[in-house]
Amino acid sequence: MRRPTPPGTPSRSPRYMLPADGRRLFRVSLLVAAGALAVAVALYAVGLKGVASPGALAGAHDGIDTACTQCHQPAARVVDLRCERCHDPIDSRRFESAAHAAATGARAMRAAHIPPVECASCHADHGGRRRDLARVDDGRCGSCHRFGSFASHPEFAPIRAGHDVYSGIDFSHEIHLREVGKTGERCQACHVPTPDQRGFEPIAFDTHCARCHVQNGLLTLNGTDLLKSGFTPESVLPSAALLWTAPTRSARDERGRVTLERFRHRDPWTVAVAGRLTSAIAGAAVASEARRRGTEAARLTAVAQASSVSTLADADLTAWLELLERDAAVADRAAATPAAQDPTAGLDAVARLIDPSTAAAVGALRGARPNGIDPRLANPADPQAVEERRRELMALIDAISAHGGPTAERAASLRQRLSRIAASAPSAPPDTAASLIALDGVDQAVRAIEPAASATSTAQIRTLADQIRQTMSGGVPPAALEPARDQLLALLAALETRANPPQRARIADLRETIAMLAAGDTAALLGERRDRLRDRVALERALRAEHGRTPVDATVNRERAVAMRELQQMRAKDAPGPAAVLGPIEIEPARGKTALKGLLGACLPCHRLDEDEAAMRPVRAGRPVLAATFSHKPHTIQAACDTCHAVATSRAGIDVNLPTVASCRTCHDGGRARADCASCHNYHPRSAAELVVASR
Amino acid sequence: MDAEAGHHKPAHAAAEDATELSALRAYPFLKNLSETVLRKLRPNLVERYYSAGDAVLRAGEYSDAAFYLKDGILEVRVTAGAGRHAAPAAPNRAATASFGGGLQRSGVAADGTIIVADMPMDVSINRMVLLEPGELFGELNALARYAVSSDVIARTPAVCLAIRAPALRMLFKQKEVAEFKKQVDERYRVRTLGSHLRQVELFAELPGTAIERLRRTADIVSYEPGAVIVEQGAPADAFYLVRGGNVKVSIDAGGGKLAVTYLRKGEYAGETALLMNEPWPFSMQALEYVELIKIPRAEFEAAIRDHPPVERQLWETVVARLKERGHASRNPMVSQYLQMAMDTGLIHGESVLLIDLSTCTRCDDCVRACADTHGGTPRFVREGAKYQHWSIPVACYQCSDPVCLVGCPTGAITRALGTLEVTIDPGTCIGCGNCVKRCPWGNIIEVPFSSPTLNKNIDLATKCDLCVGRAAGPACVQMCPHGSATRISFKDLATVSQTLSS
Amino acid sequence: MSPVLPFRPKRPAWLAATAATAAVSVALGLGARWWRGWSPGDWWGLTFGTLAAVLMFLGALYAGRRRLLVPPLSTAQDWLQFHIYGSTLAGVFVLVHIGFAWPNGQFGWWLLGLTLWTVGSGLLGVLLQKWVPALVAAQLSVEVIYERIPEIVSQLQAEAARTMEGASDVLQRFYDAQVQPALAGLSPSWSYVLDAHRGRNERLAPFEHLRSFIGDDDRNRLADLQAIVAEKLEIEAHYSLQRALRLWPILHVPPALLLLAAIVLHVAEVWYF
């Protein structure tokens, strides 16, 4: 019989069977894993920091290698100051958003309150050697600008704003195309491409317009008829002969007015007389414009003479750091009083170091504090003060609506808007900004209602708005600040000639601070700037101790060169004009405007007056849009000008002949042409000088 | 065991032989027996002497002898909390818990009376119950291996004749003893059959007169192991109520018998056949020594028909039974398992550990878990018989009538009243090995142990104790990562079909 | 045995939930990547990364659960299912976390490699642990405990020797040539994993061949020897299969713990820098 195979166990064990200990594998593996962890940490501690790197650094950052603290601050993310140590050695802060830098007025205030985007959130390294750090994904832009892609890009801002920013000329493309077309030429007759074909040469009267509009050196409208002025009171015309030939006067009429003819383009005599009239009508505006340009020049100078923290010696760095910390302590102590923003505090220390004799000048300066604030407005953002100002504005608006007529309803709506402005504490900047923006709006609306005849009221409103703005932001009225500032700048220039490098750096910093002091700057902003500077110096000292100096000379030199060039261009434009030759004239603004209009009668067929009718608008050749870069070259070789620019029907220079976003999309759809953000927009200005100019 | 407290005179050889025999003949039921028979019986007949206060039997222990009280007064006592224990549930059975499921007693009557199967009368907490000379008690404990239900204490100095099980069986077969047996049965009938019948759900609502009638007309019959009680197809002529022992119920299928279910003490059969007036749809066979109460057809019908609520309940029971039977015959797998369980003895188990070999990865986590719960020594071996894809490891089955309990000299191995687990107390065990030998499947294994009570090394008997005291239940089941280990009772048909046939 | 049956999931509801979650996460990840660019340090990336790490650590607790009996928190089976589904989901989350792009540096490759290996070996283990028991249950009738196999084989050898008492020379020669070597040692083979009866017919063929050359007495003995050798073959199959099941943890546990150590390092670094 075949022995069966037992189902189940063949034989029984008499004892219990203890299974093998299953924990052994786990314990051994745990030991191995813990060991590996310990080894990794040990390697890192010893100095082989490559263990902790999540990926290779980009080729451009090869110099950093495993010096982690050059970028990382342990237990914190990458801090921007560390990037700026190499990439913005002169602390121009141009790596903050350019679009925000290019905003002016209310938009600037708004932009200032948007939290800055960290460098590392768009330019993240550790992505491999071939990573292009400068390239940023559209998705990153999309995280704030929520339209996602070019396909949903909103209409271009200038078109949306609906008003022209550029042209001071009243120009009809329609007529000119027709006339020029008769000679067989088209756009290229006037619009000559620049050598790099990105844009076009500015249109110069003498090159382009003179061909038809000048006859025998004299201005004509259509080649034959000489242009004449309007009626100008003779009293405003200079009696004595000037250096330049005057246009021919016609006979005087019974009201003492004359007309002039035989003008040249940019007739120096006319320009001088008009300039004098402008100064008489709107002296303040002229002065303020001059100041603004002065500020800009000061800032450009600061850049042009900038020295980098990296170039200082160790001992100087330490000394400067102590100075800054003392400043900060002083500022903190004095923070309670509105007189906190005193750039002269540091100046005092430097001055004493360099030349004790300057102490007196500084002392005198400090006596004349730049905070001559109206005591009624002494308390920043005092709700009561704001309330008073608001009531005054209301009264003004009531006066306007008392005029009656169609303006009454507009005034009513203005009053409503004004009542919604609430005074808020300066510690809540967004509200302040909002209120100021609202005030701005009121300002513009009032201006829109009021015709030029009651310009007085609008000027008063604007002054009041200015004061409120300054009060609410705790700043200084311009009138009080300017003299002090000029003095300070002069003193600094004198000191600089006798200073050694660390002191020069200090002086440069002071100059920057003072130059940036504009009406409306707050103590908080200045304090912030000083703190930032202190952090920067401290960081430089720490990192230099660990890693040595950074080679930034090339960058610094480039920044300075660009700034210098820009400065020269500006100075060329600001050369004292003919108006300086004539003395001032006393005339009532209303009459002055009439006189000016009459005098410029020959110019007005083409030129336009500004909104106050106090001067001619400056003619700026089409400035490229700063918020985007654009090159005409790839477009002009593929299409004719009128594919995008609809000028055949354009009759006024205020027409914005910019193409709409829809016309760009016909080719820029991602397939036929690139449609990513980076192909048109620059986030950062290309240089510190561009940053200064952009915030013009 | 305290039953040994009384000293006894074992039967010696020759010289005292005649004296012995005549001493034995003093007992009325032994009087008329022939000498041959008496001699055969003699080794299993022991006279025992008790002083006042000695315990003859203790509740919860297992006895292998019936006692005949010759002299003296004995008190049958039950402790206060004892009656409250419910028997382990016998789920899905139409008639449940009549004279107490797996153990010895059922519910408590309103006046505190507790019905016990192994004493000749009902006992009560409130009343003193006394046994007088001439009483026979404990025969069910001996024959059907019940645990003793109550304490039996001697009030006065007493003399008992202990009749061990083999003698008991032989005795009841002798026709000379028939008279005696009738007396015993009559006493049972008078005293306790009525209340026992009451315990059957069917008869619970019957009025006293009907019960009385049933009591008078019921027969008490017994069967040897393997004897056929009824044959399938024979006319159904009686209602059977199981008083003690296990009965196998099977149907004819394909030339053999297919086990359908089995009946325990307290369960009954035949109501369906009687009600539907059909022949026996199944066969019944005694698995072991069985005592049945047989109620003739006419009496049964009379009792039921006169009482509509009872009849309705009967119909409900019938329907349940039919479903169960139909289920079993539809699903031959269940029958196969049941057959296997009966053949191998698994049917006795209240909780059998099964391992599904088609999902078991032999990781030994169950054994480790058992070892961790029991201080480093597991209580089962992952070896054993295999049936289809199930392995039945060597682990205690927690039998409902555990044989291992018999013969333990110290009472270390016990089953607490109303619980499932049979446990061995390491402090009391002396390592004699009786239980190890007795277990038919070798589920008790000895382990070297340093006994604190005995101050020496012994071979401690250990077995699976269902992880008594562990909140989450048996560790083996809980710790199997694949859910391959289960514990079932083969008496629970529903679980069987659900678990094993899937 | 049906090839599909052993691979049925024990918790189909959990499988469906895991698959759905994985699909949704992948969709979210791809969507976010297309719409606004992806960086693992981004808000999205961090969420998925953290979830993945948490799931992995919780899953690793399973190893502890197997040993800890107190307090009783559900069954070991529940924990194992959670470990399997949770860790697979964690693997998917890791892929979403890195933006479906290749890692940038050496450490990144270590993390990804360990993750894929651990999840892969885990799933292999699931397959193995479903397949092998079903195979054994279907094809083998003998059941042995791994540690007792040598003892049982020596018992078989003794039994064969006993059977050979009084055998003829032919049979004796056959015994020396075929049976004793067959019973001598254990030769585990990976081919048993596919079919537990592999090679059985070939190895038993010599018995059939000899049958016709010997007398009746010997035929009984031969039949017994054949049964003994058949049993030994089954035990050998058991040995191979149970050994395979025991070797698998070496593939899975050490890389898993290394992965956890790497995750600790990774989280510490990200935190620190």
Side-chain angles (χ1 to χ4, degrees):
Chain A
M1 239 7 60
R2 187 168 159 154
R3 154 204 185 285
T5 310
T9 324
S11 65
R12 284 275 318 276
S13 95
R15 297 272 162 203
Y16 291 122
M17 304 234 29
L18 257 182
D21 182 15
R23 283 172 250 233
R24 206 178 50 158
L25 178 64
F26 185 76
R27 276 199 282 250
V28 168
S29 306
L30 198 62
L31 235 68
V32 168
L37 196 61
V39 162
V41 172
L43 281 178
Y44 183 81
V46 158
L48 277 124
K49 303 212 193 269
V51 165
S53 168
L57 291 177
H61 276 157
D62 263 349
I64 297 181
D65 197 30
T66 53
C68 306
T69 47
Q70 290 253 40
C71 301
H72 288 280
Q73 183 174 339
R77 297 171 70 80
V78 174
V79 172
D80 289 349
L81 275 184
R82 290 173 191 246
C83 304
E84 286 168 22
R85 187 174 173 240
C86 298
H87 292 279
D88 184 18
I90 61 171
D91 198 25
S92 65
R93 306 182 79 164
R94 69 180 175 90
F95 288 118
E96 300 176 22
S97 168
H100 298 168
T104 52
R107 286 175 66 207
M109 201 82 67
R110 203 164 36 190
H113 293 117
I114 295 175
V117 182
E118 281 184 20
C119 305
S121 57
C122 297
H123 304 280
D125 208 337
H126 288 290
R129 291 220 46 176
R130 278 186 261 151
R131 167 80 73 97
D132 177 9
L133 282 173
R135 202 175 93 71
V136 173
D137 228 9
D138 272 8
R140 302 303 310 167
C141 310
S143 58
C144 290
H145 298 276
R146 302 221 167 231
F147 47 82
S149 72
F150 190 58
S152 24
H153 193 293
E155 187 53 86
F156 296 138
I159 302 177
R160 254 187 310 157
H163 59 267
D164 80 293
V165 200
Y166 309 118
S167 175
I169 298 271
D170 213 349
F171 181 85
S172 168
H173 267 101
E174 189 190 13
I175 298 173
H176 283 83
L177 275 176
R178 200 176 55 221
E179 298 296 323
V180 169
K182 287 181 185 157
T183 63
E185 296 185 50
R186 294 208 27 94
C187 316
Q188 297 79 358
C190 300
H191 296 286
V192 177
T194 52
D196 63 5
Q197 294 198 359
R198 284 184 76 91
F200 296 90
E201 297 286 359
I203 298 201
F205 181 87
D206 295 321
T207 328
H208 304 112
C209 315
R211 279 194 271 170
C212 305
H213 289 281
V214 168
Q215 179 88 322
N216 298 329
L218 297 175
L219 277 174
T220 67
L221 186 58
N222 48 15
T224 45
D225 307 324
L226 291 180
L227 285 168
K228 291 187 190 176
S229 79
F231 287 104
T232 313
E234 204 174 7
S235 56
V236 308
L237 303 174
S239 46
L242 297 175
L243 292 164
W244 315 283
T245 325
T248 321
R249 271 179 226 215
S250 72
R252 227 166 143 252
D253 74 354
E254 65 279 3
R255 282 164 70 180
R257 305 181 304 180
V258 296
T259 56
L260 305 162
E261 63 175 26
R262 299 177 69 80
F263 287 90
R264 276 187 282 276
H265 189 254
R266 279 216 191 100
D267 190 71
W269 185 92
T270 317
V271 167
V273 176
R276 192 173 70 161
L277 271 173
T278 305
S279 303
I281 302 168
V286 169
S288 106
E289 174 67 19
R291 271 200 306 275
R292 192 195 61 75
R293 295 183 77 77
T295 311
E296 196 172 304
R299 288 178 66 189
L300 280 173
T301 317
V303 174
Q305 294 167 340
S307 52
S308 154
V309 163
S310 312
T311 55
L312 293 181
D314 289 341
D316 300 329
L317 259 187
T318 317
W320 192 4
L321 186 59
E322 282 165 16
L323 216 55
L324 281 169
E325 274 166 3
R326 220 174 49 210
D327 273 359
V330 164
D332 290 340
R333 273 200 304 268
T337 72
Q341 46 130 25
D342 188 1
T344 59
L347 179 60
D348 191 22
V350 176
R352 279 176 208 284
L353 275 175
I354 297 172
D355 188 341
S357 68
T358 58
V362 172
L365 206 55
R366 297 182 77 181
R369 299 185 93 72
N371 321 345
I373 303 175
D374 186 337
R376 282 183 304 166
L377 308 172
N379 220 346
D382 176 21
Q384 208 177 2
V386 172
E387 204 39 52
E388 278 188 47
R389 295 286 76 76
R390 190 146 49 122
R391 265 184 263 123
E392 291 192 29
L393 263 177
M394 291 279 221
L396 265 169
I397 292 174
D398 287 335
I400 292 169
S401 55
H403 281 256
T407 58
E409 304 122 46
R410 294 286 301 274
S413 78
L414 259 181
R415 194 186 295 115
Q416 244 189 338
R417 279 170 70 178
L418 204 60
S419 62
R420 270 185 273 146
I421 297 173
S424 51
S427 58
D431 288 338
T432 314
S435 316
L436 292 175
I437 291 160
L439 261 181
D440 244 336
V442 170
D443 198 359
Q444 286 193 11
V446 167
R447 237 190 303 142
I449 297 179
E450 271 295 298
S454 41
T456 325
S457 334
T458 60
Q460 280 175 347
I461 289 174
R462 206 162 328 116
T463 318
L464 262 175
D466 264 340
Q467 276 180 335
I468 293 175
R469 190 179 295 123
Q470 288 142 28
T471 313
M472 291 175 90
S473 50
V476 179
L481 177 64
E482 286 317 307
R485 195 159 74 164
D486 293 338
Q487 282 183 315
L488 275 173
L489 286 172
L491 191 57
L492 282 174
L495 285 172
E496 193 169 22
T497 53
R498 285 174 274 168
N500 57 24
Q503 290 161 348
R504 238 181 265 211
R506 187 75 175 93
I507 288 168
D509 153 51
L510 280 173
R511 184 187 288 118
E512 176 78 19
T513 309
I514 291 162
M516 282 175 61
L517 265 187
D521 270 351
T522 63
L525 270 174
L526 283 175
E528 197 185 287
R529 198 177 169 275
R530 180 190 34 246
D531 289 339
R532 191 194 148 85
L533 193 60
R534 181 193 56 192
D535 289 340
R536 205 185 158 97
V537 176
L539 192 67
E540 175 66 34
R541 205 159 67 120
L543 286 180
R544 197 190 281 187
E546 210 178 320
H547 304 291
R549 294 185 193 213
T550 49
V552 293
D553 292 336
T555 315
V556 172
N557 290 337
R558 196 172 50 234
E559 294 273 21
R560 287 160 81 159
V562 170
M564 193 64 77
R565 197 169 53 227
E566 196 68 43
L567 203 59
Q568 282 165 356
Q569 283 180 354
M570 189 192 287
R571 287 206 182 117
K573 275 206 209 129
D574 288 346
V581 175
L582 289 173
I585 187 176
E586 279 296 321
I587 189 169
E588 202 194 30
R591 280 199 66 218
K593 286 186 188 173
T594 323
L596 188 66
K597 218 188 249 178
L599 177 66
L600 296 177
C603 316
L604 291 183
C606 299
H607 285 270
R608 296 161 68 198
L609 294 177
D610 69 7
E611 61 233 11
D612 293 336
E613 297 186 333
M616 278 208 312
R617 280 195 188 219
V619 176
R620 286 193 281 229
R623 279 186 61 196
V625 180
L626 269 178
T629 61
F630 183 80
S631 168
H632 268 98
K633 178 173 177 183
H635 297 88
T636 49
I637 59 180
Q638 294 186 68
C641 305
D642 52 9
T643 313
C644 300
H645 295 278
V647 290
T649 50
S650 160
R651 286 190 187 167
I654 63 170
D655 284 350
V656 177
N657 291 315
L658 278 180
T660 58
V661 68
S663 80
C664 301
R665 264 190 229 132
T666 52
C667 294
H668 286 270
D669 54 6
R672 289 186 286 171
R674 283 170 56 179
D676 56 315
C677 309
S679 51
C680 298
H681 289 282
N682 267 340
Y683 188 91
H684 303 292
R686 279 167 286 232
S687 66
E690 189 176 301
L691 181 68
V692 170
V693 163
S695 51
R696 188 175 286 167
Chain B
M1 276 210 240
D2 285 337
E4 301 279 346
H7 60 281
H8 61 276
K9 293 188 197 142
H12 283 311
E16 296 164 358
D17 191 54
T19 336
E20 280 266 327
L21 289 179
S22 50
L24 283 176
R25 285 197 193 281
Y27 289 93
F29 55 93
L30 296 176
K31 195 164 52 183
N32 299 328
L33 289 175
S34 67
E35 200 171 302
T36 343
V37 173
L38 212 50
R39 271 192 212 283
K40 275 200 210 139
L41 293 175
R42 197 175 56 185
N44 289 310
L45 297 173
V46 179
E47 253 186 17
R48 294 212 178 120
Y49 297 83
Y50 299 95
S51 320
D54 285 343
V56 178
L57 288 173
R58 279 254 181 252
E61 70 181 14
Y62 284 78
S63 155
D64 63 346
F67 291 84
Y68 178 82
L69 182 60
K70 187 180 172 198
D71 261 333
I73 306 282
L74 300 178
E75 183 188 341
V76 181
R77 214 188 283 164
V78 67
T79 50
R84 311 277 179 267
H85 289 287
N92 287 341
R93 290 199 157 261
T96 57
S98 19
F99 339 99
L103 296 180
Q104 70 277 26
R105 70 176 63 123
S106 57
V108 185
D111 62 352
T113 315
I114 302 164
I115 299 156
V116 296
D118 55 343
M119 294 296 151
M121 68 253 294
D122 299 336
V123 299
S124 170
I125 308 168
N126 311 324
R127 276 199 327 267
M128 203 183 320
V129 176
L130 298 172
L131 290 172
E132 291 172 348
E135 292 272 11
L136 183 70
F137 62 91
E139 65 271 27
L140 266 183
N141 299 106
L143 290 173
R145 292 199 302 281
Y146 292 173
V148 176
S149 59
S150 342
D151 294 331
V152 181
I153 318 279
R155 293 212 68 175
T156 66
V159 178
C160 290
L161 183 69
I163 311 169
R164 292 216 174 99
L168 207 53
R169 286 201 185 95
M170 206 189 300
L171 197 64
F172 285 155
K173 281 210 197 89
Q174 309 301 319
K175 55 184 188 310
E176 290 87 346
V177 184
E179 184 62 37
F180 176 67
K181 180 136 192 353
K182 232 172 43 175
Q183 282 178 9
V184 170
D185 287 345
E186 188 55 42
R187 246 197 305 242
Y188 166 71
R189 196 193 299 271
V190 164
R191 285 189 192 141
T192 57
L193 178 54
S195 32
H196 288 181
L197 282 173
R198 274 252 180 265
Q199 290 304 307
V200 179
E201 267 179 18
L202 272 184
F203 302 143
E205 304 293 318
L206 283 180
T209 47
I211 291 281
E212 184 60 33
R213 185 158 164 196
L214 284 173
R215 196 172 58 76
R216 271 187 287 114
T217 52
D219 281 333
I220 300 173
V221 294
S222 61
Y223 292 90
E224 291 295 311
V228 173
I229 302 168
V230 297
E231 276 282 353
Q232 180 172 348
D237 60 348
F239 171 83
Y240 289 94
L241 177 58
V242 180
R243 191 175 167 218
N246 290 311
V247 172
K248 176 166 105 173
V249 175
S250 54
I251 57 174
D252 293 336
K257 280 204 180 335
L258 199 61
V260 170
T261 183
Y262 92 116
L263 302 175
R264 295 189 293 175
K265 153 174 69 186
E267 295 172 342
Y268 51 86
E271 76 287 358
T272 319
L274 293 180
L275 191 71
M276 314 257 284
N277 215 350
E278 58 181 22
W280 284 108
F282 46 75
S283 309
M284 287 203 294
Q285 190 182 12
L287 272 179
E288 51 192 6
Y289 181 80
V290 157
E291 267 193 11
L292 303 170
I293 297 168
K294 182 176 172 182
I295 300 176
R297 182 200 186 101
E299 299 303 323
F300 181 80
E301 284 175 351
I304 294 301
R305 290 267 153 72
D306 292 338
H307 302 94
V310 178
E311 193 175 359
R312 198 193 61 238
Q313 191 180 5
L314 183 59
W315 276 109
E316 282 168 13
T317 311
V318 163
V319 169
R321 281 286 179 99
L322 284 172
K323 273 195 201 151
E324 201 176 272
R325 196 190 309 162
H327 180 89
S329 54
R330 258 201 312 276
N331 195 345
M333 283 287 282
V334 175
S335 312
Q336 274 180 28
Y337 280 111
L338 220 49
Q339 186 68 45
M340 180 272 295
M342 286 191 210
D343 293 340
T344 53
L346 287 178
I347 199 85
H348 292 286
E350 293 285 347
S351 174
V352 179
L353 175 64
L354 293 173
I355 298 181
D356 179 359
L357 289 176
S358 65
T359 54
C360 168
T361 51
R362 284 52 166 196
C363 68
D364 278 328
D365 263 5
C366 46
V367 184
R368 285 198 198 95
C370 182
D372 286 343
T373 320
H374 294 93
T377 318
R379 293 298 178 83
F380 75 99
V381 193
R382 204 171 44 79
E383 284 179 326
K386 183 175 131 171
Y387 187 75
Q388 297 193 354
H389 62 96
W390 294 93
S391 163
I392 305 154
V394 173
C396 173
Y397 305 146
Q398 320 293 342
C399 299
S400 42
D401 310 314
V403 201
C404 51
L405 295 180
V406 180
C408 177
T410 59
I413 183 165
T414 52
R415 168 185 255 152
L417 295 178
T419 60
L420 218 56
E421 312 89 15
V422 179
T423 50
I424 301 178
D425 178 11
T428 326
C429 175
I430 58 169
C432 70
N434 277 349
C435 52
V436 177
K437 293 192 201 79
R438 274 186 177 273
C439 177
W441 305 281
N443 288 338
I444 304 180
I445 296 180
E446 286 178 316
V447 169
F449 180 66
S450 169
S451 169
T453 45
L454 300 174
N455 263 328
K456 64 170 184 174
N457 291 335
I458 58 166
D459 282 329
L460 177 72
T462 58
K463 57 182 275 306
C464 168
D465 56 2
L466 284 188
C467 290
V468 61
R470 191 169 181 273
C476 47
V477 174
Q478 195 203 4
M479 297 304 280
C480 176
H482 308 288
S484 307
T486 43
R487 299 198 79 107
I488 64 163
S489 165
F490 278 92
K491 305 179 209 224
D492 183 357
L493 275 183
T495 315
V496 166
S497 64
Q498 192 184 359
T499 318
L500 300 186
S501 306
S502 62
Chain C
M1 177 182 59
S2 156
V4 173
L5 218 52
F7 296 120
R8 234 176 13 187
K10 288 200 181 92
R11 303 263 165 105
W14 287 36
L15 177 65
T18 309
T21 315
V24 165
S25 318
V26 168
L28 277 176
L30 286 173
R33 184 167 172 238
W34 170 79
W35 183 57
R36 56 191 302 277
W38 185 269
S39 153
D42 237 359
W43 186 80
W44 280 103
L46 261 177
T47 311
F48 279 106
T50 318
L51 274 175
V54 164
L55 274 174
M56 284 185 186
F57 273 95
L58 282 181
L61 283 181
Y62 166 70
R65 175 72 190 98
R66 287 179 85 200
R67 311 300 175 208
L68 265 179
L69 297 177
V70 180
L73 293 165
S74 189
T75 63
Q77 194 188 11
D78 284 341
W79 274 83
L80 180 63
Q81 296 288 316
F82 175 74
H83 173 84
I84 294 172
Y85 286 118
S87 302
T88 314
L89 198 59
V92 173
F93 282 168
V94 162
L95 289 179
V96 176
H97 166 69
I98 64 174
F100 298 100
W102 295 120
N104 281 325
Q106 205 193 37
F107 190 62
W109 279 106
W110 273 104
L111 279 172
L112 183 63
L114 280 172
T115 306
L116 291 178
W117 179 272
T118 308
V119 173
S121 64
L123 289 174
L124 175 70
V126 170
L127 248 72
L128 205 62
Q129 291 180 7
K130 282 192 194 293
W131 172 254
V132 168
L135 182 76
V136 169
Q139 294 194 337
L140 299 176
S141 81
V142 174
E143 180 60 37
V144 282
I145 295 184
Y146 188 76
E147 285 81 10
R148 286 196 68 217
I149 285 178
E151 177 192 337
I152 290 178
V153 168
S154 48
Q155 278 176 11
L156 285 177
Q157 287 171 345
E159 190 183 341
R162 269 199 313 276
T163 318
M164 283 306 293
E165 282 163 12
S168 67
D169 285 339
V170 179
L171 198 58
Q172 189 69 45
R173 276 203 299 277
F174 177 77
Y175 176 79
D176 291 336
Q178 298 278 356
V179 177
Q180 267 203 319
L183 292 177
L186 284 165
S187 45
S189 159
W190 286 106
S191 61
Y192 282 122
V193 176
L194 290 172
D195 177 9
H197 285 159
R198 189 180 281 262
R200 187 179 158 116
N201 287 339
E202 289 84 7
R203 292 175 77 169
L204 291 179
F207 290 85
E208 292 303 319
H209 183 69
L210 189 67
R211 256 172 102 67
S212 39
F213 297 110
I214 50 175
D216 270 339
D217 254 356
D218 275 350
R219 278 216 188 108
N220 289 339
R221 290 202 186 87
L222 187 69
D224 283 351
L225 285 175
Q226 189 173 352
I228 291 174
V229 173
E231 189 173 320
K232 194 257 175 188
L233 287 176
E234 291 213 354
I235 290 175
E236 202 168 82
H238 259 288
Y239 182 70
S240 310
L241 293 168
Q242 290 193 29
R243 206 169 71 118
L245 285 174
R246 275 157 205 257
L247 287 178
W248 170 80
I250 299 177
L251 273 185
H252 184 67
V253 174
L257 287 174
L258 273 174
L259 176 63
L260 288 180
I263 290 179
V264 167
L265 199 62
H266 177 59
V267 171
E269 270 180 31
V270 168
W271 201 272
Y272 189 59
F273 293 106

